[in-house]
Amino acid sequence: MAGKFFLFQYEKDDVVKMRKKHPCGSFEWKVMTVGSEIKLECCGCKRMMVMDRPTIEKATSLVRRGDQVITEKT
Ligand SMILES: [Zn+2]
C-alpha cells in the first residue's frame, strides 16, 4: 500500500453515510470487511454490496465509529 493515500479510514463495524439514498430509504451502511475492496451491509434492508476504495470514497460523505465521526467530507 506504500504511496497510496486514502482520505477515509475504514474499519470493521464502522458506519458510512452514502451521498445517494438506497432504494430502501437508508443512507447508512455498515462495514463488514476491509481490504482492497470493502464489503458493506445496508443498515436499512441488510443487503450486501462490495465496492473498491476509489468508488466508496466518492460515494460516502461520512464515516462513523460508534458515536464518533471519523471522517466527514462535504
Ligand atoms: Zn437498503
Side-chain angles (χ1 to χ4, degrees), residues 22-26 29 42-47:
H22 199 229
C24 73
S26 177
W29 293 72
C42 179
C43 292
C45 63
K46 307 295 177 196
R47 191 183 187 130

Side-chain angles (χ1 to χ4, degrees), residues 23-55:
C24 73
S26 177
F27 283 92
E28 296 196 326
W29 293 72
K30 189 177 168 190
V31 176
M32 306 305 282
T33 57
V34 179
S36 57
E37 293 187 319
I38 294 170
K39 191 175 178 185
L40 301 162
E41 182 192 79
C42 179
C43 292
C45 63
K46 307 295 177 196
R47 191 183 187 130
M48 300 278 208
M49 71 169 172
V50 176
M51 291 174 107
D52 61 25
R53 287 215 178 223
T55 307

Side-chain angles (χ1 to χ4, degrees), residues 9-35:
Q9 302 296 319
Y10 302 101
E11 281 182 15
K12 189 183 179 299
D13 297 327
D14 283 356
V15 171
V16 302
K17 191 176 173 200
M18 292 288 168
R19 296 180 181 281
K20 215 175 137 194
K21 187 164 69 175
H22 199 229
C24 73
S26 177
F27 283 92
E28 296 196 326
W29 293 72
K30 189 177 168 190
V31 176
M32 306 305 282
T33 57
V34 179

